[in-house]
Amino acid sequence: MRSIKKILVANRGEIALRIMRTAREMNIATVAVFSEADRKSPHVRYADEAVCIGPAPSSESYLRGDKIIQVCKDLNVDAIHPGYGFLSENAGFAKMVQEAGLIFIGPSPEAIEIMGSKLAAKQAAGQYNIPMVPGTETAITDRTEAKTRAREIGYPILIKASAGGGGKGMRVVNNEADFDEQMDRAVSEAQTSFGDGSVFIEKYITSPKHIEIQVLGDQHGNIIHLFERECSIQRRHQKVIEEAPSISISNEVRVEMGRCAIDVARSCGYYGAGTVEFILDEQGNFYFLEMNTRLQVEHPVTEQITGVDLVKQMIFIAEGKPLTLKQTDLSIKGHAIEVRVYAEDAANHFLPDVGTLHTYVKPAGNGVRVDDGFELGMDIPIYYDPMIAKLITYGADRNEAIQKMIRAIDEYQISGVQTTLPFCKFVMKHPVFVSGNFDTNFVSNHFQPGMLVGEIREDASKLAAIITAQLMQKADSGAEKSAGLENKKAPGWKRRSLRNL
Ligand code: MV4
């Protein structure tokens, strides 16, 4: 047991702030690191101390583990929280942190390494009774053998990079004639992206739902799960909307999936916060895919429905404290939805949009949480992920969470950059989303850029109609008549429409 008095957050933006807020609640001092592009960022101002670690590109700043460890030594830091992305799943960095006598707020380097390889992860999980998609257990070395196996499994199959993540190095093969070509592509993509060309094959589940389980393990072998998140609304492997709980699984499946997730964590001696990813097929069968050994972007929906502060738990675990939460103490209360507000133009193929936040007004009120890392007047830098904020709503049930989300999106006013907010509102109102009967193909199946343009035009035409009606009324009745009444009706329309215009 080693108590933590000062934490360095090796990250930026919303997640850096998110972590520092909990640290402050625990009376732990905070150190921010930042790049030259982030000098004016809120996370820098929020921290008790802040150190510039280099130029804007991540490779010269947020990925410089050596510099970050040096800052820890200079400022007497006890522990590093890596957030997500950057160094969070770098086993070498976690090891360097430990060797410098610091605490890494996360799992052991060994667990990161095992779960960083999909093949090693499947092998570890194989010691337990965990459903996995049929496929090869080792990397493909012999193509003839692989084709025989593919024929046994049945096409379509999926070629996956063992070192992969986020869909990179993944290739669907529909029939044997395409096998060699797709194999070549997968291997070369894996080699270029990860420096490791190992690939394996799996049966391709064509229309899965993506469901993941949040786990927490301590350094004494206790592991619990905090139920699931449904993350099927994604675009090109980038999640856009997540919710908890999932409306697609029964309580029996939930219990079974939770048991599997705990076993996956146990298979690599996991401690810290982690996420075990599953896919659910159309028949309702689930399969373990991989484990993410970090705090995830979408962790807030789990916090909302369980009342557990995951960052606080991570810190306790890193100090060596045993978990005080017991599985039987945990239950799901209500429903939470998160939408990611990206500086992207959904009406134009989600093209990243850079610019200055000329208007920035956040929604608020009961059941609304905004985790952001920007403020009015700030530029969205081109160097990093274009996520401006996460908007989370919480309600007694799914319908209430959806209605709150639509209300919150309408309140959110951002100008200067295009954002994914109109797209998220489109999803919230879509009957297929509302029904819960959607899978990972939702965006490609139900969304086309023109659909948002249509919505904006509709708002514009409504605005035009209101203005015309008001002008006509004024012309009819003269200036003295009931201006107050008309003004009461107008603002809501006006504001919404003007923002969309
Ligand atoms: C799959 C799959 C279908 N069948 N594996 C995508 C990224 C990586 N986490 C695993 N992924 C998938 N693996 C088999 N055997 C479909 C996907 C997949 C997916 C998974 C989760 C969330 C979104 C996805 C979007 C497309 C494909």
Side-chain angles (χ1 to χ4, degrees), residues 118 133 158 160 166-167 170 202-206 208 210 231 234 237 277 279 289-290 440:
K118 288 183 187 176
V133 189
L158 195 56
K160 288 185 174 180
M170 242 174 61
E202 270 179 5
K203 167 113 194 113
Y204 181 48
I205 312 292
T206 50
H210 172 148
C231 309
Q234 53 82 45
H237 305 292
E277 262 186 50
I279 46 177
L289 278 191
E290 54 193 88
T440 51

Side-chain angles (χ1 to χ4, degrees), residues 77 83 130 154 162 208 252 287-288 344 413 429 436 443 452 500:
V77 166
I130 295 162
S162 181
E252 285 93 79
Y287 308 94
F288 164 61
E344 288 176 353
Q413 295 180 47
K429 292 187 149 195
V443 181
L452 287 182
N500 282 339

Side-chain angles (χ1 to χ4, degrees), residues 36-108:
E36 284 164 16
D38 283 341
R39 210 167 274 285
K40 292 179 185 152
S41 293
H43 85 274
V44 175
R45 216 170 332 107
Y46 193 90
D48 298 312
E49 296 167 277
V51 180
C52 182
I53 50 168
S58 312
S59 60
E60 296 174 53
S61 49
Y62 297 106
L63 289 171
R64 285 293 300 270
D66 55 337
K67 284 195 186 178
I68 291 167
I69 289 171
Q70 190 55 50
V71 172
C72 290
K73 289 178 178 165
D74 294 345
L75 299 183
N76 240 322
V77 166
D78 302 306
I80 296 180
H81 197 305
Y84 53 71
F86 298 126
L87 296 164
S88 61
E89 290 175 285
N90 185 320
F93 175 68
K95 198 146 190 256
M96 271 172 53
V97 171
Q98 287 186 349
E99 282 167 2
L102 301 162
I103 296 172
F104 181 76
I105 304 177
S108 69

Side-chain angles (χ1 to χ4, degrees), residues 252-419:
E252 285 93 79
V253 172
R254 174 172 296 124
V255 168
E256 188 53 15
M257 221 186 236
R259 197 266 311 155
C260 288
I262 289 173
D263 281 345
V264 169
R266 202 177 302 288
S267 79
C268 65
Y270 202 84
Y271 57 79
T275 297
V276 183
E277 262 186 50
F278 297 91
I279 46 177
L280 186 75
D281 71 14
E282 285 162 292
Q283 287 75 46
N285 305 304
F286 69 83
Y287 308 94
F288 164 61
L289 278 191
E290 54 193 88
M291 181 172 191
N292 301 319
T293 58
R294 59 170 190 274
L295 180 70
Q296 300 222 151
V297 175
E298 61 271 26
H299 77 276
V301 292
T302 300
E303 296 188 319
Q304 299 305 127
I305 64 154
T306 60
V308 174
D309 180 330
L310 289 169
V311 173
K312 189 173 182 179
Q313 294 301 318
M314 290 179 85
I315 294 170
F316 283 152
I317 291 164
E319 288 181 316
K321 292 184 175 138
L323 279 172
T324 53
L325 295 165
K326 288 189 197 68
Q327 194 66 55
T328 47
D329 296 339
L330 294 169
S331 64
I332 297 173
K333 186 161 184 284
H335 199 98
I337 303 177
E338 169 180 287
V339 308
R340 300 191 188 184
V341 186
Y342 286 104
E344 288 176 353
D345 187 359
N348 192 11
H349 307 279
F350 291 84
L351 234 64
D353 199 20
V354 290
T356 305
L357 292 173
H358 288 306
T359 312
Y360 190 71
V361 183
K362 286 189 255 193
N366 189 11
V368 176
R369 166 175 171 180
V370 180
D371 281 20
D372 62 1
F374 289 95
E375 45 200 24
L376 184 68
M378 278 178 63
D379 292 323
I380 310 292
I382 54 165
Y383 301 97
Y384 317 107
D385 184 272
M387 195 176 77
I388 300 170
K390 304 185 305 206
L391 169 58
I392 302 113
T393 59
Y394 174 70
D397 56 29
R398 187 169 188 263
N399 210 32
E400 200 173 291
I402 291 174
Q403 292 310 319
K404 273 186 196 292
M405 185 59 79
I406 294 169
R407 184 271 285 177
I409 290 173
D410 282 340
E411 276 182 27
Y412 218 145
Q413 295 180 47
I414 300 177
S415 77
V417 291
Q418 294 291 338
T419 75

Side-chain angles (χ1 to χ4, degrees), residues 89-290:
E89 290 175 285
N90 185 320
F93 175 68
K95 198 146 190 256
M96 271 172 53
V97 171
Q98 287 186 349
E99 282 167 2
L102 301 162
I103 296 172
F104 181 76
I105 304 177
S108 69
E110 295 76 23
I112 298 176
E113 190 150 335
I114 292 170
M115 292 301 156
S117 154
K118 288 183 187 176
L119 278 169
K122 285 182 86 165
Q123 222 156 47
Q127 307 159 41
Y128 294 85
N129 182 23
I130 295 162
M132 285 184 266
V133 189
T136 58
E137 273 160 30
T138 51
I140 297 168
T141 46
D142 182 320
R143 285 196 187 205
T144 317
E145 207 178 289
K147 281 185 208 168
T148 307
R149 187 78 188 98
R151 212 175 302 153
E152 285 166 14
I153 293 166
Y155 286 91
I157 58 120
L158 195 56
I159 304 179
K160 288 185 174 180
S162 181
K168 258 203 189 129
M170 242 174 61
R171 292 275 159 188
V172 178
V173 190
N174 287 312
N175 50 60
E176 192 167 312
D178 296 344
F179 191 94
D180 286 305
E181 189 189 338
Q182 297 295 46
M183 177 83 180
D184 290 338
R185 288 192 180 169
V187 171
S188 98
E189 203 172 307
Q191 190 62 50
T192 333
S193 304
F194 316 112
D196 172 5
S198 315
V199 298
F200 62 102
I201 61 178
E202 270 179 5
K203 167 113 194 113
Y204 181 48
I205 312 292
T206 50
S207 302
K209 274 176 159 272
H210 172 148
I211 297 177
E212 58 187 32
I213 303 262
Q214 177 70 54
V215 298
L216 282 175
D218 66 18
Q219 298 188 45
H220 310 277
N222 305 302
I223 308 172
I224 57 171
H225 75 83
L226 293 93
F227 312 105
E228 78 281 4
R229 294 185 286 260
E230 152 80 68
C231 309
S232 299
I233 308 289
Q234 53 82 45
R235 190 190 156 269
R236 300 200 178 163
H237 305 292
Q238 179 175 267
K239 293 169 186 162
V240 195
I241 294 167
E242 303 100 341
E243 60 182 301
S246 166
I247 52 166
S248 309
I249 59 172
S250 64
N251 217 37
E252 285 93 79
V253 172
R254 174 172 296 124
V255 168
E256 188 53 15
M257 221 186 236
R259 197 266 311 155
C260 288
I262 289 173
D263 281 345
V264 169
R266 202 177 302 288
S267 79
C268 65
Y270 202 84
Y271 57 79
T275 297
V276 183
E277 262 186 50
F278 297 91
I279 46 177
L280 186 75
D281 71 14
E282 285 162 292
Q283 287 75 46
N285 305 304
F286 69 83
Y287 308 94
F288 164 61
L289 278 191
E290 54 193 88

